[in-house]
Amino acid sequence: MLFSKLLTLTAATLAVAHPGEKHDHEAVKREIRLRDALAEQARHGVNACSNSVQARQVQQRSVSRRANTARELRSKKGVTAAPHKFRRNLAALEKWEAINHNRTGIVNYSPETSEADIFGANTSSILSPTITDGPYYVWGEVIRQNVVEEEYCDGVDVFLEVQYIDVNTCLPVQGALVDIWNANATGVYSGISTSGNYAADGWDSTYLRGIQETDEDGVVTFQTIFPGHYDGRATHTHLLTHLNSTINRNNGTLQVGTGSVAHIGQLFWNEVLRTAVENTYPYTTNTQDVTSNADDMWSIEQASSAYDPFPEFLYLGDRVEDGLFAWIQIGINTTADYTDNSYYSIAAYYDETGGHENTESSAMGGGSGGGAGGAPSGSMSMSGPIPSSTAA
């Protein structure tokens, strides 16, 4: 069913999904088979290490951390109302869409409620596929935890925790640099000014983009918003993981050509949650067509028998407008490097002088692979002109 669905997608459909994003169907089929074979190998490693003392300790810390985060977020927002109990019952994307990722109904703990039942879920079996970064990846994002800026970022607040686990050891991946980026409520990405996506402030815009470094538990957190939809793609959030990259701590730059790209992924959001969010302003002003998870090429490829691409989430209050806390655990092979993979494409770069188009990027009609193309040698600044209130 997976392969037949991919084959029915026309070239026109792919072009609409992201202007400039085109992939050969036969190549996609080969990469899916290879990915599944590698995932099966990783599964054996996970099965061997998941019950180790260290792995269980990591899980216990995760439960405690997520529970404390939810309490702190509710307190910071001044939310005292009983959380809205929100359930769903649909099977739109294989088995994962049928899973209830919503933990909203049990935010108010009682002596009988186990926090492990609420915050222990990892959603995936920590075997995460790597897929395209899309044509709107910008090298040189601002190092910051809060990616919400004063303009173009209205929407439902999302506090997202992502934990990276080495599939060979079941232990946290420390010191990884993780990019995040997603469209705003009206379906527009920052940092890109090209047909199909003309961002306000053009190449110089940085909203809803940022980088964080994983801590001792392999965790990064971002303050962002629930992404808006756009033609041809299901609602999603992009993540990209660098290992062993060099940062100049004096001026906040990421050295070009250092380290590896260990993982490229997308998180998807279930249809009932998306509908609830998009019934609020300013999502209601988004006039682009909606694409369901079931009809999206990449959500189908991202899901597998071993990986759940939907984060766990809960409402912080009794309304979706009060914001969401979401979390997911992602397993990666730390020896992998997708720098030269065709799915790794740099559309633009951002330095101390602002944003610049990468004219040699495959995403914009130029070369292939992960080469920086028109980017200058040396370093790319992560500081840039952003509101001081959003800096890490």
Side-chain angles (χ1 to χ4, degrees):
M1 183 181 71
L2 175 61
F3 293 159
S4 63
K5 185 171 183 67
L6 289 175
L7 289 173
T8 60
L9 292 170
T10 64
T13 301
L14 295 180
V16 170
H18 271 306
E21 182 176 13
K22 299 177 182 178
H23 297 283
D24 178 82
H25 290 156
E26 291 301 320
V28 169
K29 288 168 60 178
R30 290 193 298 271
E31 294 212 19
I32 291 173
R33 286 194 290 267
L34 174 60
R35 185 202 73 189
D36 289 347
L38 293 173
E40 186 58 33
Q41 293 177 13
R43 185 196 300 275
H44 294 298
V46 169
N47 290 340
C49 64
S50 59
N51 287 322
S52 69
V53 172
Q54 296 95 329
R56 292 198 302 270
Q57 290 173 342
V58 170
Q59 176 64 3
Q60 290 169 357
R61 290 197 299 273
S62 295
V63 170
S64 177
R65 181 185 60 252
R66 293 163 185 164
N68 289 334
T69 297
R71 293 192 189 96
E72 290 171 3
L73 290 172
R74 282 170 54 81
S75 176
K76 184 180 297 185
K77 286 179 169 289
V79 175
T80 59
H84 173 58
K85 190 171 184 178
F86 175 77
R87 298 292 179 186
R88 63 191 174 95
N89 182 23
L90 54 97
L93 183 60
E94 308 235 335
K95 66 178 181 179
W96 301 119
E97 184 71 17
I99 292 176
N100 184 10
H101 299 84
N102 190 349
R103 306 290 170 165
T104 301
I106 43 180
V107 175
N108 284 345
Y109 311 115
S110 71
E112 292 76 33
T113 303
S114 168
E115 289 182 348
D117 290 339
I118 307 167
F119 296 104
N122 293 323
T123 71
S124 74
S125 299
I126 70 170
L127 301 178
S128 174
T130 288
I131 62 172
T132 179
D133 64 357
Y136 297 151
Y137 173 60
V138 177
W139 177 281
E141 299 299 350
V142 180
I143 296 180
R144 55 181 177 174
Q145 187 266 346
N146 186 353
V147 300
V148 178
E149 299 183 2
E150 293 181 1
E151 294 186 292
Y152 320 121
C153 294
D154 291 340
V156 171
D157 292 332
V158 174
F159 188 94
L160 176 65
E161 175 197 289
V162 185
Q163 183 175 38
Y164 288 88
I165 298 293
D166 187 332
V167 296
N168 297 308
T169 65
C170 296
L171 297 180
V173 179
Q174 302 177 1
L177 293 170
V178 180
D179 284 83
I180 188 174
W181 70 103
N182 59 255
N184 69 2
T186 56
V188 178
Y189 286 90
S190 69
I192 302 295
S193 182
T194 189
S195 177
N197 191 101
Y198 290 107
D201 298 335
W203 301 103
D204 291 332
S205 56
T206 59
Y207 57 85
L208 303 178
R209 293 180 180 269
I211 290 180
Q212 280 286 279
E213 185 173 0
T214 58
D215 64 15
E216 64 275 9
D217 276 330
V219 171
V220 289
T221 60
F222 291 100
Q223 290 176 252
T224 183
I225 67 166
F226 193 89
H229 71 268
Y230 52 90
D231 291 351
R233 289 302 317 278
T235 300
H236 63 281
T237 299
H238 289 273
L239 296 169
L240 189 146
T241 309
H242 307 267
L243 293 181
N244 303 312
S245 292
T246 302
I247 298 178
N248 186 330
R249 298 294 182 180
N250 294 323
N251 59 11
T253 61
L254 179 67
Q255 292 295 124
V256 174
T258 63
S260 61
V261 177
H263 182 256
I264 307 168
Q266 297 175 20
L267 305 182
F268 293 87
W269 304 89
N270 77 71
E271 300 291 352
V272 175
L273 176 61
R274 179 190 58 75
T275 299
V277 169
E278 293 196 336
N279 283 333
T280 69
Y281 179 85
Y283 299 91
T284 51
T285 68
N286 189 342
T287 60
Q288 301 189 65
D289 291 337
V290 174
T291 298
S292 70
N293 287 315
D295 290 333
D296 180 82
M297 175 182 184
W298 296 115
S299 64
I300 290 295
E301 184 181 353
Q302 181 89 339
S304 73
S305 61
Y307 181 66
D308 176 356
F310 298 100
E312 300 285 331
F313 69 92
L314 57 82
Y315 284 24
L316 293 175
D318 58 353
R319 307 176 309 147
V320 72
E321 291 92 333
D322 290 326
L324 301 167
F325 172 42
W327 66 96
I328 192 168
Q329 187 181 76
I330 294 177
I332 64 174
N333 183 348
T334 57
T335 64
D337 186 4
Y338 295 90
T339 303
D340 294 326
N341 191 282
S342 63
Y343 284 166
Y344 176 53
S345 183
I346 301 171
Y349 60 95
Y350 190 82
D351 61 19
E352 62 274 6
T353 65
H356 311 273
E357 179 181 6
N358 179 17
T359 56
E360 296 183 26
S361 167
S362 61
M364 295 301 167
S368 63
S377 62
S379 62
M380 296 180 183
S381 173
M382 301 272 190
S383 52
I386 61 170
S388 59
S389 62
T390 65

